[in-house]
Amino acid sequence: MERKQLGMNDILPPELIHGILLRVPAEDLFRLRFVSKLWHSFISDPDFAESHYNLYSAASSGSVLVKDHTNACCVSLDTLFDVTAAAPPTFKVVSLPSKKTPCSLFRLLGSCRGFLLLEEKPANFLVIWNPLTGSSKTISYSHIASEIQPDDAFRYGFGFDASRDDYLIVLSWHDNSYNQHHLDCFSLRTNSWINLDAALPKSISRRKQQLSGWFLHGAIHWLCYSSKDCIDDGILIFDLKERSFSKISMPQQLVGDYPIYLTILRGCLALYSYDIDNHKTEIWVMKEYKVPSSWILMYEIPYGNNLPLCMSNGNDIIALNFIPRYCKIRFAKYNVSGKLLNYSPLPLSEYYNFHRSFSVYTESLFPFPCDIKDRDKKKKTGQECFEQHDDVAKD
């Protein structure tokens, strides 16, 4: 009888509970925070969040699509083609972090460690948002936007500087009126904008540029263009630790093609383009980071226009397949030979106008750096809240 009244925390050692919780999906962990003080201490620990993210980031992916001006839709890409599931996959609708009236216009610009970077118009705000926890931070860049002209090169970036334990928003832009390059970074840790002096490679065009960058290996990456004839010719890299630019070349077979898009597939840089003449999507993958000779043509998909999202089950690829003529969009899965395996039953017709406003990410429990400081200050007050939740759990 005494043993039946004991809880899990009384029977299992803390090390084992810690190990079990590490294998629970982030969405479920977020709901389990207040089961007990012990569980809350584990789940709220930044080191636990780091270990959990590292465990899941290589194994699972989620996707967010903007639905309208107020909502976004999240879906686990791993469940899209699960034929053994009891129910078909569905979108989870989440509210975008807008406090403006009338509703703002949002555009997804990138992701990093479970956080998404959004642009909020017309107020010239950037918003960092965790769709799982609902936490967000709004940053004004109106002082920068007011100086940018329509034909100025302008690049967004969002990444994590592990050496400083800091998230950075990077705005790189060139003022064509004065022929000056500007580099501004917003630090979440210091909650401030800083101006950096980092020179662009000389061959980079001062006009035509890809808008948003991709974070990988401690750096932000943009597709870039030569200053000579404005054709795609390489990838611009900004190292967040060294605060410096560099450049790597793309496959020679792609130089001069248009349009070309940059993405990341299973921790590798990838380029994809749509061959209009042959009605197929070609995907090139850089197998070894910063080694141009490691570029390989990995996929040739003869099924219309495809936006590659992620890789699963070995080398199978999940993509957004759309047919502009019929305004049709759907999730599709292909093998390494480019053969269509199947389409997901998840309906996407109402999202067609927003198909470019999407991001692939892994859910995380990471707090903002400023939240960690606030948590320490409010630790005593928080203990009272935890005790109340403990009482509810016992009841």
Side-chain angles (χ1 to χ4, degrees), residues 154-168:
F154 189 55
R155 294 173 294 272
Y156 297 93
F158 177 46
F160 180 70
D161 180 2
S163 67
R164 299 175 176 85
D165 191 27
D166 193 11
Y167 294 89
L168 295 176

Side-chain angles (χ1 to χ4, degrees), residues 135 165 194 232 239 247 281:
S135 60
D165 191 27
I194 53 177
D232 309 300
D239 188 294
K247 182 183 173 184
T281 302

Side-chain angles (χ1 to χ4, degrees), residues 5-264:
Q5 295 176 356
L6 296 176
M8 181 187 296
N9 296 347
D10 302 310
I11 300 174
L12 300 180
E15 297 80 8
L16 182 56
I17 296 175
H18 184 278
I20 293 173
L21 292 177
L22 272 178
R23 286 157 178 80
V24 176
E27 183 177 5
D28 295 326
L29 281 176
F30 189 66
R31 294 196 297 263
L32 294 174
R33 290 171 299 157
F34 296 116
V35 167
S36 70
K37 291 181 184 177
L38 179 64
W39 287 29
H40 191 282
S41 65
F42 284 152
I43 298 171
S44 302
D45 183 6
D47 291 334
F48 177 90
E50 185 78 41
S51 299
H52 186 272
Y53 178 79
N54 292 336
L55 183 65
Y56 269 82
S57 60
S60 63
S61 297
S63 180
V64 167
L65 289 94
V66 171
K67 181 181 179 183
D68 50 38
H69 304 319
T70 57
N71 297 309
C73 296
C74 304
V75 64
S76 172
L77 298 180
D78 307 309
T79 65
L80 287 175
F81 305 94
D82 186 1
V83 296
T84 63
T90 58
F91 271 125
K92 181 177 98 173
V93 178
V94 291
S95 298
L96 289 166
S98 176
K99 300 180 178 63
K100 308 299 177 185
T101 303
C103 295
S104 303
L105 300 177
F106 281 98
R107 179 173 47 159
L108 281 163
L109 299 177
S111 65
C112 175
R113 290 161 55 93
F115 292 104
L116 301 177
L117 176 65
L118 303 100
E119 181 187 31
E120 185 177 359
K121 289 289 189 179
N124 292 322
F125 286 125
L126 296 173
V127 182
I128 300 177
W129 173 48
N130 187 325
L132 174 63
T133 66
S135 60
S136 65
K137 182 173 181 62
T138 301
I139 301 118
S140 172
Y141 73 105
S142 57
H143 64 293
I144 299 173
S146 62
E147 300 182 28
I148 299 172
Q149 301 302 315
D151 63 342
D152 290 343
F154 189 55
R155 294 173 294 272
Y156 297 93
F158 177 46
F160 180 70
D161 180 2
S163 67
R164 299 175 176 85
D165 191 27
D166 193 11
Y167 294 89
L168 295 176
I169 297 175
V170 177
L171 300 183
S172 171
W173 57 287
H174 188 82
D175 186 341
N176 289 309
S177 300
Y178 297 95
N179 195 29
Q180 293 179 341
H181 175 251
H182 301 270
L183 180 64
D184 295 280
C185 294
F186 184 87
S187 163
L188 271 183
R189 182 161 289 281
T190 63
N191 195 37
S192 62
W193 284 99
I194 53 177
N195 184 263
L196 300 177
D197 183 16
L200 283 170
K202 293 183 179 179
S203 62
I204 299 297
S205 169
R206 293 331 191 226
R207 290 186 181 273
K208 183 181 176 185
Q209 297 291 342
Q210 178 171 309
L211 181 64
S212 55
W214 293 82
F215 175 71
L216 179 68
H217 296 315
I220 299 171
H221 306 74
W222 297 271
L223 196 63
C224 62
Y225 307 83
S226 68
S227 57
K228 182 179 179 181
D229 45 17
C230 287
I231 61 173
D232 309 300
D233 73 341
I235 296 172
L236 179 65
I237 303 174
F238 180 68
D239 188 294
L240 296 179
K241 178 182 178 181
E242 302 299 330
R243 309 290 169 92
S244 62
F245 286 103
S246 62
K247 182 183 173 184
I248 55 177
S249 60
M250 66 170 60
Q252 284 299 312
Q253 296 90 329
L254 292 179
V255 175
D257 283 358
Y258 182 82
I260 298 174
Y261 301 98
L262 177 66
T263 189
I264 293 174

